[in-house]
Amino acid sequence: MTQFAFALLGRLSWSQFPQDAITRGGAAGIVLGLLFVLAVITYLRKWKWLWKEWFTTQDPKRIGVMYIIVALVMLLRGGSDAVLMRTQQAVSVGNNYGILNSNHFQQIASAHGTIMIFFVAMGLMFGIINLVLPLQIGARDVAFPFLNATSFWLFFAGMALVNSSLVIGDFSAAGWLSYPPLSELQYSPTVGVDYWIWSLQIAGVGSLLSGINFLVTVLRMRAPGMSLMKMPMFAWSVLGSMSLVAFAFPILTVTLALLALDRTIGTHFFTAGGGGNAMMYVNLIWAWGHPEVYILVLPAFGVYSEIVATYARKKLFGYTSMVWAIWIIVLLSFTVWLHHFFTMGAGSNVNAFFGIMTAVIAIPTGVKIFNWLFTMHRGRISFKSPMLWFMGFVVTFTIGGVAGVLMSVPIIDYQVHNSLFLVAHFHMMIVGGVLFGYFAALTYWFPKIFGFRLHEKLGTYAFWFWISGFLTAFIPLYILGFMGATRRLDHYSASLGWQPLFIVAGFGVVLIGIGVGFQVLQLVVSIWQRNERRDLSGDPWNGRTLEWSVPSPAPFYNFTKQPVVTDRDQFWVDKQSGKKRRTEYEDIVLPKNSGLSVAIAACAFMVGFGMIWHMYWLALLMLFGIITTLVVRSMNEEPEYVLTAREVEKLDHARIRKLKEYEAYQ
Amino acid sequence: MSSKPLVSDHDEQQLSYGRYTAGFLVSIGLTFCAYWIATHVNADRNLLAIILALLAITQFAVQMILFLHISEERGPRWRLAAACFMLCVVLILVGGSIWIMNNLNYRMSPQQVLQYMQSQDNL
Amino acid sequence: MSTATEANGIEIRREREATEKTVFGFWVYLMTDCVLFASLFAVYAVIHGNTFGGPSGKDIFKLPYVLMETFALLTSSFTCGLAMLAAQRKAKRQVLFWLGVTFSLGLTFLCLELNEFHHLTSEGNSWRRSGFLSSYFTLVGTHGLHITFGLLWMAIMMIYIWKRGLTDTVRKRLTLLSLFWHFLDVIWIFIFTIVYLYGSIGL
């Protein structure tokens, strides 16, 4: 009987809990942090409110906020990994072996990359799109609200799995992309790679569904009169990015599945023997991986377009060329993926082709940067913190970008492939391009969602610490790369003379940490002082696009009546012509809340957990649970409700009364 | 929009029956053709491969048009656009992967290079 | 126009827009599923030659058997179309009849395929044998998995139609199901050609 019970537990055992001080510390951190949050919610008796207002919501603005909260928490986790790595590399020289053993260092390095890409960058991106896109195109919601909520909860389930690896079991030590044969069962027998596979598979499904959702939203739910060429540039960038999501993520799904099959049922896709081809994995994962980086950066580019135009008080220069640039990038991003493995051994014809395509894709990106600069030219620029983030982006992205064009030449890439030069390049692109863009977006659109502005001065301090810290942390890495330092090193010889540069880089991380500290402080202070910071007009930055035409915070139904659009930057045009839109009320159809998305994700988490720990009965049962939940959902004949015009009017009047109260604080 | 349909419902049904039946019969024909060619025709393998591929692509087009109604979309033809984009991605992914992986094979050890070259020259 | 008719007109237009939106969204999903299969085809193309001393396609594929499977699936695609036409006419019993035929043919296809898999596995040629067999089982098996989900969906739809009749929602979902089913047959064209036909001529 006990034998049967143990069999049910698969690979689980007491020895799978963390065994040494540092890993126990990590586990304790997560568990205590979680318990603390749960305790606070229970103490404040907010469970019902959380369930009703947040967990079961179909309002994309709330879903967006949840995405962003998860992403920012994961930023702290990924950042802690970075601090540990930098510390290790600054001290682990000669006879000193630092604070982490090799295996642990590799796990941290793998976790850092995985978390930052899949849970921070993707989370911020989907979060911001949820917040802004429907408002910008004059819609009330996304195309498929229930799907949207499900996508978020699948993302959450993936995040929960990754963090579970800190508490029980270990994480992959095979890098953020888990190349075989290292990631195969023979060389990675522990659950680590399985955690990696399943958290990404689940989050990946969520991403794919979001890609389809937002694509249909842009194509089908624009306000009447808003033709595609009248859309804000951010909406265009979302359309481009989501096209990439839809057509690239299935490749990831397949690749993860094949690796999982190799590790569970003994197939020979990527094994060293049996007819497998490990190089095929590298080929496939990058066929997804390259579009992925454009998925992340395109919406950031869209954010910059909005911010530069607003803060330069000038319409975006070269709208049409910007649209073309997006679509050329989308198309070309599918033709460059081999540049991630020039050194894998392809012949010169193949390498040359992909090298040329890589150089070519820099052109539309350059067009975009010049267009932003031309937008600024002769504008009346206000250097608020979103604009500062943009300027920081221009500096870092340009440095990183030219490093990239350098590496697009296969001969040069042979010298610097997998060195710290590469690491510096892609960090400058992702942090300088993607992260700075999403930081700028958060500051820019914060008042629209929450109704009050963030503390500007603290935001400025945060920026300056971030940019100085970031350059201090990564410029030395370019030099180290040229000096021969490879990536993922947890120890090196003293005679190499690398340590001083690693120490400088470590200092850079300290500066970034202070920057993060200022961001946290900014949030806390802003919430504390929110009454003095109220955005009463709904248009705190003198904006150009439709989202600024609704009050702050935006009501859950977005618009009392869907606007009719005749021009680009319609809101700006209205303001210039002095046209005031009359507030009209009409019946609004909205989706009802649903807890089934949470159920699906909970089941998905269990499927992942079951597969990882070889508790196949659990995985199968929970798969059945997902199917059942979907059938239950399909039986719901009335997923929507009607908010009558009278009710909307009452809500609106209540809002106006609240505004009057807030005015007293100003 | 309440515009009067150009074709009556009954005629539309007849048209659709015609489409489905035609699609079915043509597909059966193409399938059988391909089967017969693969089993009874003795020719250069690569030539056969091209013919069979063309038959498959034809059946694909027939089914897209007659079963999946891709040509019947009114208004901006987004389904067609999505399908074309998908085809681009598929061709690049499959073609590119085959090109890359073959090329990697080509640069294996001397004995393997010899083997590879021999297989290419049908020796 | 009176407000009642106006409201009804708006209602109908909203319904049609919602349907078109859902159909388009599902179409985009089908396109992504094509990329999924394309990835599996790419893998098959690259490692189908890696037989690792085991059998190749030529050794294990029985074309007449596969032709039977193909005709079953193809016919089911046709009968699914007939079911859709009946749904347009709101002919509930005809819909149920044709869906039943489609289901039976689909189930036949699945059983034939499972039998083929069982036969291979029992003689030692499972997915563990070689890279070729791994990619064969995964490519064809993924298609079979899609068929399984399609059949499940079809069964549930038949229950819905029986219990609730041909409401707008049901007919919208039938449209999605028929798109899915046709798409599976389209994928099979390529599996039939590239896996079985190419395999049998030694490519």
Side-chain angles (χ1 to χ4, degrees):
Chain A
M1 188 61 211
T2 39
Q3 258 201 324
F4 176 69
F6 278 121
L8 282 184
L9 289 173
R11 294 198 275 185
L12 278 175
S13 79
W14 289 117
S15 64
Q16 294 288 354
F17 283 105
Q19 302 291 316
D20 67 79
I22 295 189
T23 44
R24 281 189 173 161
I30 289 264
V31 172
L32 289 173
L34 184 65
L35 286 176
F36 177 71
V37 169
L38 294 177
V40 167
I41 299 173
T42 314
Y43 176 73
L44 295 172
R45 290 220 259 264
K46 287 284 194 182
W47 281 111
K48 207 161 175 203
W49 172 79
L50 264 182
W51 182 257
K52 197 165 160 287
E53 298 292 323
W54 290 90
F55 292 172
T56 59
T57 187
Q58 311 261 302
D59 179 358
K61 297 184 290 300
R62 298 226 158 150
I63 292 173
V65 169
M66 291 195 288
Y67 262 116
I68 291 170
I69 292 175
V70 171
L72 291 177
V73 169
M74 293 310 278
L75 178 65
L76 295 177
R77 160 96 206 257
S80 318
D81 289 330
V83 167
L84 282 169
M85 286 194 288
R86 272 285 138 262
T87 309
Q88 174 75 8
Q89 291 189 325
V91 304
S92 174
V93 193
N95 286 325
N96 189 330
Y97 282 85
I99 48 174
L100 305 165
N101 65 47
S102 274
N103 179 267
H104 198 188
F105 181 87
Q106 295 305 326
Q107 284 184 43
I108 289 175
S110 310
H112 169 77
T114 307
I115 287 171
M116 290 304 206
I117 297 275
F118 288 96
F119 297 102
V120 179
M122 293 293 278
L124 284 175
M125 177 184 81
F126 281 131
I128 290 165
I129 295 176
N130 264 298
L131 291 181
V132 176
L133 182 74
L135 281 169
Q136 262 206 353
I137 61 172
R140 293 195 191 290
D141 206 329
V142 296
F144 308 111
F146 180 77
L147 200 66
N148 196 21
T150 309
S151 287
F152 166 72
W153 285 108
L154 288 173
F155 166 80
F156 188 88
M159 180 277 296
L161 264 179
V162 160
N163 284 301
S164 299
S165 73
L166 263 185
V167 179
I168 184 160
D170 60 357
F171 196 66
S172 165
W176 79 279
L177 281 181
S178 297
Y179 284 3
L182 178 59
S183 57
E184 291 279 354
L185 209 54
Q186 188 180 11
Y187 300 104
S188 289
T190 66
V191 293
V193 174
D194 299 302
Y195 263 119
W196 181 85
I197 291 175
W198 287 100
S199 50
L200 294 192
Q201 191 72 291
I202 293 170
V205 170
S207 298
L208 179 62
L209 295 175
S210 282
I212 300 172
N213 209 342
F214 292 127
L215 194 143
V216 177
T217 305
V218 173
L219 289 181
R220 281 253 188 256
M221 301 194 55
R222 282 162 283 134
M226 186 186 277
S227 69
L228 283 174
M229 289 306 272
K230 296 204 184 93
M231 273 201 312
M233 194 49 61
F234 178 70
W236 268 117
S237 70
V238 170
L239 185 61
S241 172
M242 295 302 111
S243 306
L244 284 175
V245 170
F247 291 95
F249 263 80
I251 305 172
L252 178 71
T253 310
V254 166
T255 315
L256 292 175
L258 297 184
L259 186 63
L261 286 175
D262 269 5
R263 288 175 63 86
T264 30
I265 65 170
T267 49
H268 287 291
F269 288 107
F270 313 121
T271 51
N277 191 339
M279 296 189 287
M280 186 61 184
Y281 179 94
V282 175
N283 176 56
L284 281 177
I285 204 79
W286 281 115
W288 161 80
H290 194 83
E292 163 70 1
V293 305
Y294 285 101
I295 288 168
L296 293 175
V297 91
L298 280 177
F301 285 170
V303 170
Y304 291 131
S305 292
E306 301 298 332
I307 284 174
V308 172
T310 302
Y311 288 103
R313 262 164 280 195
K314 229 176 119 220
K315 76 167 195 240
L316 184 67
F317 185 92
Y319 182 96
T320 309
S321 63
M322 288 294 243
V323 175
W324 273 106
I326 289 176
W327 289 102
I328 293 174
I329 290 174
V330 166
L331 226 62
L332 287 181
S333 69
F334 277 110
T335 63
V336 301
W337 80 91
L338 186 128
H339 70 230
H340 297 274
F341 49 95
F342 277 135
T343 59
M344 195 158 80
S348 39
N349 278 350
V350 175
N351 276 356
F353 171 77
F354 282 97
I356 292 171
M357 295 314 288
T358 307
V360 168
I361 204 174
I363 298 174
T365 313
V367 164
K368 291 183 94 65
I369 298 198
F370 279 117
N371 277 351
W372 290 317
L373 296 177
F374 289 149
T375 309
M376 288 169 72
H377 177 62
R378 286 184 184 260
R380 288 171 300 139
I381 305 173
S382 144
F383 281 100
K384 290 255 172 0
S385 55
M387 203 56 182
L388 291 177
W389 288 112
F390 168 73
M391 303 298 318
F393 150 77
V394 173
V395 171
T396 52
F397 203 76
T398 304
I399 299 173
V402 299
V405 177
L406 192 70
M407 288 190 291
S408 74
V409 182
I411 305 165
I412 298 181
D413 186 74
Y414 262 78
Q415 301 298 313
V416 290
H417 173 68
N418 259 8
S419 71
L420 289 182
F421 188 88
L422 169 71
V423 172
H425 156 73
F426 66 68
H427 277 89
M428 289 214 158
M429 307 306 266
I430 302 183
V431 176
V434 178
L435 194 61
F436 283 13
Y438 293 149
F439 281 162
L442 289 180
T443 311
Y444 184 59
W445 278 301
F446 191 92
K448 181 52 57 193
I449 303 301
F450 292 105
F452 58 96
R453 266 165 296 202
L454 286 170
H455 194 293
E456 175 60 25
K457 255 242 158 69
L458 290 174
T460 314
Y461 296 156
F463 165 74
W464 285 110
F465 275 101
W466 255 100
I467 187 74
S468 55
F470 183 69
L471 291 170
T472 311
F474 285 96
I475 299 284
L477 261 53
Y478 281 122
I479 304 169
L480 280 165
F482 277 146
M483 288 166 78
T486 53
R487 63 193 293 195
R488 299 179 184 145
L489 285 176
D490 65 290
H491 176 82
Y492 50 93
S493 158
S495 60
L496 290 163
W498 294 344
Q499 189 175 28
L501 286 167
F502 273 118
I503 293 176
V504 173
F507 179 63
V509 169
V510 172
L511 292 175
I512 295 178
I514 299 175
V516 172
F518 271 114
Q519 286 173 309
V520 174
L521 190 64
Q522 179 193 38
L523 195 61
V524 170
V525 168
S526 307
I527 296 175
W528 191 265
Q529 298 179 341
R530 60 190 179 283
N531 283 324
E532 290 107 74
R533 309 193 162 285
R534 291 282 169 202
D535 170 22
L536 296 171
S537 64
D539 185 19
W541 319 121
N542 199 9
R544 310 178 71 89
T545 39
L546 279 179
E547 73 268 29
W548 305 111
S549 69
V550 302
S552 297
F556 61 93
Y557 45 80
N558 285 1
F559 302 91
T560 52
K561 190 173 164 76
Q562 236 194 342
V564 176
V565 168
T566 48
D567 294 284
R568 218 175 268 168
D569 287 350
Q570 182 68 56
F571 182 57
W572 183 260
V573 166
D574 285 350
K575 279 194 293 187
Q576 301 308 95
S577 66
K579 172 173 168 192
K580 259 238 154 244
R581 285 173 185 269
R582 223 172 33 115
T583 317
E584 290 174 58
Y585 299 110
E586 60 179 12
D587 286 352
I588 300 177
V589 179
L590 290 167
K592 284 189 196 155
N593 280 14
S594 172
L596 294 178
S597 304
V598 183
I600 291 174
C603 288
F605 175 87
M606 290 296 181
V607 170
F609 195 84
M611 291 304 292
I612 291 167
W613 291 102
H614 293 181
M615 295 157 72
Y616 299 119
W617 59 272
L618 180 66
L620 208 61
L621 188 67
M622 288 296 128
L623 185 63
F624 181 68
I626 295 177
I627 297 174
T628 310
T629 313
L630 288 172
V631 174
V632 167
R633 171 71 189 175
S634 75
M635 294 197 298
N636 186 347
E637 285 280 304
E638 294 193 358
E640 294 171 328
Y641 70 100
V642 176
L643 200 65
T644 60
R646 279 219 60 206
E647 286 168 324
V648 179
E649 192 173 355
K650 266 206 294 210
L651 285 166
D652 204 30
H653 286 171
R655 176 191 65 81
I656 294 172
R657 276 198 303 276
K658 207 131 205 215
L659 268 185
K660 293 226 159 46
E661 281 174 37
Y662 290 146
E663 271 168 25
Y665 286 103
Q666 302 297 308
Chain B
M1 305 298 144
S2 53
S3 54
K4 235 178 167 194
L6 296 165
V7 182
S8 79
D9 274 342
H10 175 78
D11 290 335
E12 261 217 61
Q13 281 261 310
Q14 291 288 70
L15 242 156
S16 295
Y17 267 114
R19 285 207 177 95
Y20 277 119
T21 315
F24 178 54
L25 293 174
V26 172
S27 298
I28 297 258
L30 288 169
T31 307
F32 197 73
C33 258
Y35 171 80
W36 195 86
I37 290 175
T39 47
H40 288 84
V41 172
N42 228 335
D44 174 43
R45 272 186 326 198
N46 293 318
L47 180 63
L48 283 180
I50 295 174
I51 297 174
L52 291 173
L54 286 174
L55 286 173
I57 293 169
T58 311
Q59 202 183 140
F60 167 71
V62 163
Q63 291 205 14
M64 282 297 259
I65 297 173
L66 295 177
F67 283 177
L68 285 163
H69 314 300
I70 196 173
S71 55
E72 287 164 45
E73 191 181 8
R74 252 150 279 160
R77 304 177 98 176
W78 287 118
R79 274 188 254 166
L80 185 61
C84 288
F85 193 75
M86 178 273 290
L87 284 172
C88 284
V89 171
V90 166
L91 287 170
I92 293 172
L93 177 66
V94 179
S97 295
I98 294 175
W99 184 40
I100 292 168
M101 299 308 291
N102 242 11
N103 201 272
L104 290 167
N105 276 342
Y106 179 76
R107 287 163 56 81
M108 294 292 224
S109 72
Q111 212 239 354
Q112 284 163 307
V113 173
L114 202 64
Q115 275 181 342
Y116 176 80
M117 284 163 67
Q118 283 176 337
S119 74
Q120 289 304 294
D121 296 324
N122 264 323
L123 290 171
Chain C
M1 261 203 287
S2 73
T3 31
T5 340
E6 211 175 80
N8 203 28
I10 294 175
E11 200 42 55
I12 293 176
R13 192 170 39 153
R14 265 200 68 244
E15 201 56 55
R16 201 180 313 149
E17 274 171 16
T19 304
E20 275 176 20
K21 186 181 65 172
T22 310
V23 170
F24 178 59
F26 194 76
W27 178 268
V28 175
Y29 154 70
L30 288 180
M31 296 300 104
T32 70
D33 225 355
C34 287
V35 177
L36 190 125
F37 276 105
S39 310
L40 289 170
F41 273 111
V43 172
Y44 182 83
V46 169
I47 68 174
H48 77 281
N50 299 6
T51 48
F52 203 59
S56 72
K58 206 166 182 160
D59 303 321
I60 54 174
F61 294 153
K62 298 178 180 54
L63 276 191
Y65 188 85
V66 178
L67 194 64
M68 251 200 316
E69 277 180 331
T70 309
F71 283 154
L73 195 62
L74 193 43
T75 313
S76 78
S77 197
F78 175 59
T79 55
C80 186
L82 295 180
M84 281 313 294
L85 289 178
Q88 265 173 30
R89 290 194 318 271
K90 305 243 184 128
K92 175 169 154 179
R93 245 175 303 155
Q94 289 227 1
V95 174
L96 283 173
F97 174 74
W98 286 118
L99 274 184
V101 175
T102 310
F103 184 89
S104 313
L105 288 167
L107 192 61
T108 307
F109 171 88
L110 197 62
C111 290
L112 288 173
E113 189 164 272
L114 284 171
N115 182 41
E116 191 188 352
F117 281 4
H118 174 74
H119 186 66
L120 282 170
T121 327
S122 60
E123 57 183 30
N125 292 325
S126 75
W127 51 84
R128 281 184 281 261
R129 182 67 185 81
S130 67
F132 158 65
L133 282 164
S134 296
S135 61
Y136 165 76
F137 272 99
T138 308
L139 174 57
V140 180
T142 304
H143 179 266
L145 205 63
H146 278 75
I147 293 278
T148 309
F149 280 121
L151 288 175
L152 187 65
W153 186 4
M154 213 178 289
I156 296 174
M157 282 311 294
M158 288 197 281
I159 297 174
Y160 264 125
I161 296 169
W162 179 48
K163 280 249 151 98
R164 293 191 186 170
L166 287 166
T167 62
D168 284 336
T169 313
V170 168
R171 283 191 305 148
K172 177 175 76 179
R173 290 175 183 171
L174 260 181
T175 310
L176 301 183
L177 175 58
S178 73
L179 282 178
F180 187 66
W181 200 253
H182 291 311
F183 148 83
L184 284 178
D185 192 45
V186 166
I187 300 289
W188 183 257
I189 300 171
F190 291 102
I191 295 182
F192 178 64
T193 308
I194 294 173
V195 174
Y196 292 104
L197 292 185
Y198 278 22
S200 71
I201 65 176
L203 266 175

